[in-house]
Amino acid sequence: MTLGLAAATVGACAGESGPPTLTWYINPDNGGQEEIARICTEEAEGEYRIETSLLPRDAASQREQLARRLAASDSSIDIMSLDPPFIPEMAAANFLAPVPEELQDTEDIVQGAVDSATWDGELVSVPFWANTQLLWYRRSVAEQAGLDMEQPVTWEQLIEAATEQDRLLGVQGTKNESLTVWVNALVASAGGQIIANPEAPSDEVELDLDSDAGRAAAEVLRRIGQEGLAGSGFPTADENASMILFRGDSGSFMVNWPFVWPAINESNPEIVEDIGWAVYPRMDEGTEAAPPVGGINLGVGAFSDHVDLAYDAVACIVRPEHQAEYFLTNGNPPSSVSAYDDERIAEDFPMADVIRESLELAVPRPQTPFYNEVSIGIQETWHPPAAVDPETTPASSADFITAVLRDERLL
């Protein structure tokens, strides 16, 4: 018994004397984050080990799990892969350890990713990979419509081209986050914003939807919905459904994330030569588009026992060469500008330059600690798209979300 206890004690001491283990909570992917964790563990040469722990598939569930544990001051959360819309909530609650000065340099980071990693004027997370939606088009349809796709195009031009050729538009009208992404991009592309003062407390938040920009966004949804330009499945269409419609015989134009490129190459290689890409559509000719921005930023838990080491690991994870490899193996675009210099990227993703350009123009969804309420409020009031009324929907949506934030209504 004594020998056994002694052996156990020695084993425990040996375990404690080894390198600290950092737990990185990751969103599901194709194994890329786990591979980077392995590489960075090797490069640490015994200073630390990185283990990954898988979060739920959808972003809302990821937010809920992490927020609950951080609210309980969970010290086992070292590094987190965070969906950008939920970062302000984490930062405002003091759940994120401050980003060290050596990781504050954003010169090599696309602007959309910088904006999505910032709260209250400070960088509170470290951009890892960034995502954006492009305008995908069938070259034959654009040619017949007489559109020069080397120049910016507007939603009005796309609607006219689809109408004249009896084609369908690939857009996301389903009642989930996809709809919020689209509404925000339309409002921002029209020069507006959903929230006028995103850093305000809940009872002082001012919605800016009842505006010319909000009404212009509503008109796009209304027209596509009422004129049947996105097909009968429009009210339930997500990104995958939009891709399926686009690659079919009636496809014309589509707004969607870059995942569609490898997916269509695999499923419908016969149409690849007919597919082109461009920056997101404009709302009017004289105003630049504001494409959606997504991706993943890395945060370090405020209650971690190894904050300094965790940020050392983050610095390794986000190195440009690791981001480039992650793009090539998992299809998720880099936030690092220099990562796009990898020659292999242009071979596998010939639209990489447009992705990078789009990420410089991209505008985040409302950066507010109350994003969950705002997003669900938009989904409740802008759905189904065919029922959207430019004269009433923006105002009623703003009133509803305001009431929710003031605890006067329930979602």
Side-chain angles (χ1 to χ4, degrees):
M1 293 288 293
T2 304
L3 289 174
L5 179 59
T9 303
V10 171
C13 292
E16 292 173 0
S17 64
T21 296
L22 306 176
T23 304
W24 177 13
Y25 286 82
I26 63 172
N27 60 302
D29 63 5
N30 291 330
Q33 291 171 100
E34 187 172 0
E35 175 62 12
I36 293 175
R38 184 192 65 78
I39 293 171
C40 288
T41 294
E42 289 184 358
E43 293 184 3
E45 296 182 338
E47 287 190 33
Y48 57 77
R49 296 177 61 254
I50 305 174
E51 289 187 354
T52 59
S53 181
L54 193 62
L55 291 166
R57 179 158 295 279
D58 67 287
S61 297
Q62 295 169 20
R63 162 196 169 268
E64 182 178 6
Q65 182 180 122
L66 290 172
R68 284 182 174 180
R69 294 179 59 179
L70 288 166
S73 303
D74 192 335
S75 62
S76 71
I77 298 179
D78 298 304
I79 306 169
M80 297 168 281
S81 290
L82 298 172
D83 196 38
F86 300 119
I87 288 174
E89 177 184 10
M90 299 286 190
N94 296 316
F95 289 163
L96 302 178
V99 177
E101 185 176 351
E102 58 268 24
L103 286 173
Q104 291 276 353
D105 184 1
T106 60
E107 185 176 350
D108 187 48
I109 303 175
V110 292
Q111 190 59 48
V114 174
D115 293 341
S116 74
T118 301
W119 166 247
D120 200 15
E122 294 184 9
L123 195 75
V124 296
S125 59
V126 180
F128 173 32
W129 63 272
N131 210 356
T132 188
Q133 288 192 2
L134 302 183
L135 170 63
W136 305 85
Y137 60 92
R138 302 294 287 268
R139 297 181 187 274
S140 54
V141 175
E143 182 178 355
Q144 187 170 337
L147 293 177
D148 178 4
M149 299 305 294
E150 296 297 318
Q151 302 298 319
V153 296
T154 65
W155 280 99
E156 177 66 25
Q157 289 175 303
L158 303 185
I159 288 171
E160 289 181 359
T163 301
E164 291 172 359
Q165 298 182 47
D166 196 23
R167 297 275 189 147
L168 298 177
L169 299 171
V171 286
Q172 294 84 48
T174 189
K175 192 177 181 180
N176 66 18
E177 185 65 16
S178 303
L179 182 60
T180 303
V181 168
W182 190 24
V183 171
N184 184 71
L186 292 174
V187 171
S189 293
Q193 55 193 353
I194 290 177
I195 299 180
N197 55 342
E199 296 167 3
S202 61
D203 60 347
E204 297 179 13
V205 169
E206 297 178 5
L207 273 293
D208 203 18
L209 280 169
D210 189 14
S211 61
D212 289 343
R215 286 182 282 275
E219 176 61 22
V220 171
L221 266 74
R222 182 206 65 79
R223 187 169 177 188
I224 292 176
Q226 290 189 1
E227 296 181 17
L229 296 177
S232 59
F234 182 33
T236 59
D238 60 10
E239 289 83 355
N240 281 309
S242 301
M243 178 183 67
I244 292 171
L245 182 148
F246 173 75
R247 71 192 190 193
D249 293 339
S250 60
S252 61
F253 301 91
M254 169 180 66
V255 287
N256 218 326
W257 310 97
F259 83 92
V260 301
W261 177 248
I264 293 177
N265 269 270
E266 182 176 347
S267 63
N268 297 82
E270 72 280 2
I271 68 169
V272 167
E273 294 298 320
D274 192 38
I275 294 178
W277 46 83
V279 172
Y280 206 77
R282 294 185 175 190
M283 291 293 280
D284 63 75
E285 292 182 2
T287 305
E288 283 190 332
V293 61
I296 288 293
N297 296 335
L298 299 182
V300 169
F303 312 104
S304 167
D305 293 327
H306 309 289
V307 169
D308 291 344
L309 287 177
Y311 271 121
D312 287 345
V314 167
C316 176
I317 292 167
V318 303
R319 288 219 307 261
E321 61 266 32
H322 291 163
Q323 293 191 38
E325 191 67 27
Y326 190 59
F327 190 17
L328 292 165
T329 57
N330 282 245
N332 296 322
S335 64
S336 164
V337 174
S338 59
Y340 288 88
D341 294 337
D342 190 313
E343 295 179 356
R344 298 173 299 165
I345 286 180
E347 294 175 5
D348 287 5
F349 294 91
M351 71 294 305
D353 285 346
V354 178
I355 292 174
R356 182 172 58 184
E357 178 185 358
S358 180
L359 285 168
E360 295 289 357
L361 299 170
V363 172
R365 282 155 277 175
Q367 295 290 90
T368 168
F370 315 106
Y371 180 77
N372 194 54
E373 290 83 354
V374 172
S375 180
I376 295 176
I378 289 172
Q379 296 166 37
E380 290 292 334
T381 52
W382 291 66
H383 189 273
V388 168
D389 184 341
E391 298 306 315
T392 60
T393 298
S396 61
S397 178
D399 290 343
F400 175 71
I401 295 170
T402 299
V404 168
L405 292 174
R406 285 157 174 69
D407 293 326
E408 297 168 358
R409 296 280 301 272
L410 296 176
L411 286 174

